[in-house]
Amino acid sequence: MAGSAPGTPRSRPPVGVLALQGDFREHAAVLTSLGADVVFVRRPEEVAQISGLVIPGGESSVIDKLARSFGVADAVVARIRGGMPVYGTCAGLILLADRVQGGIRGQQSFGGLDVSVRRNAFGAQTESFEAELDVPVLGEPPMHAVFIRAPVVTELGPKATALASLGDGTVVAVQQGGVLGTSFHPEMTGDTRFHQYFLDTVTARSSGG
């Protein structure tokens, strides 16, 4: 478990980071720097303790298998359906998509975003790239985004809203209520606005806003 320094009053509801595989430590560091109390989530009991969850980048198929093996998947799905805010980056976006294209045999997702997402849409890791994105909900300046074996949203359902797109119109950030997903890795760039946006959502939901 990571969190604010000992003796500091809790300023926000507890936020979980799914810590089964991937860059969960980087997300925890960003959230902690923003004043969040962070819980590393590996068991169903920990899902019950949190008010919001971040699902990190990594291998979506591996995270899916481990989440089911550890009994975490059903707990996460239930909390999402119950309205808990969730933020997924890269593999996390895949796990939050209602429809996954290019998944391995038997791969499942938690769902929560009325979108179709294609895995590894830009090819291998050698095809990773960076781009400047306009994200109106975050204001100025544009966000410097890092894409590593990134997925993209290929179909945006009526319940979901695009938050950012590449120059060719490819959707790379999406939101549906309290569920947020990005194709890229804001935890790698030092720009904390997406994490802050998510934390504000968690706080608003927890206070009945």
Side-chain angles (χ1 to χ4, degrees):
M1 180 171 174
S4 49
T8 0
R10 173 173 288 177
S11 57
R12 294 182 183 273
V15 175
V17 178
L18 190 62
L20 299 175
Q21 191 264 345
D23 60 344
F24 55 87
R25 293 181 183 84
E26 289 83 352
H27 281 285
V30 174
L31 293 166
T32 301
S33 75
L34 294 172
D37 288 323
V38 179
V39 177
F40 285 140
V41 172
R42 299 183 177 95
R43 298 177 298 176
E45 312 88 86
E46 291 156 346
V47 179
Q49 299 170 6
I50 57 177
S51 298
L53 178 68
V54 172
I55 304 174
E59 286 289 341
S60 61
S61 58
V62 175
I63 297 174
D64 165 45
K65 286 181 180 178
L66 290 174
R68 285 186 277 150
S69 297
F70 281 69
V72 173
D74 287 344
V76 170
V77 169
R79 292 298 309 275
I80 292 173
R81 291 177 178 171
M84 179 179 70
V86 184
Y87 175 29
T89 63
C90 198
L93 169 61
I94 297 168
L95 286 158
L96 290 175
D98 287 346
R99 300 170 293 279
V100 178
Q101 299 170 339
I104 68 169
R105 181 182 294 274
Q107 182 170 348
Q108 299 178 25
S109 67
F110 303 139
L113 288 172
D114 181 17
V115 298
S116 297
V117 168
R118 187 167 75 248
R119 296 174 73 233
N120 298 338
F122 300 103
Q125 189 152 340
T126 53
E127 305 300 319
S128 301
F129 66 98
E130 302 180 17
E132 301 297 317
L133 296 178
D134 290 321
V135 189
V137 296
L138 302 183
E140 294 293 338
M143 171 164 279
H144 186 74
V146 176
F147 295 82
I148 303 172
R149 295 181 61 205
V152 297
V153 175
T154 57
E155 178 191 15
L156 193 69
K159 298 177 183 177
T161 302
L163 298 182
S165 302
L166 296 174
D168 63 359
T170 301
V171 175
V172 292
V174 65
Q175 182 173 10
Q176 181 176 329
V179 183
L180 174 68
T182 58
S183 299
F184 49 91
H185 292 267
E187 76 281 4
M188 296 178 62
T189 63
D191 189 331
T192 62
R193 286 179 291 167
F194 256 112
H195 289 83
Q196 186 63 65
Y197 182 69
F198 172 68
L199 289 175
D200 290 344
T201 302
V202 174
T203 301
R205 293 293 177 98
S206 298
S207 62

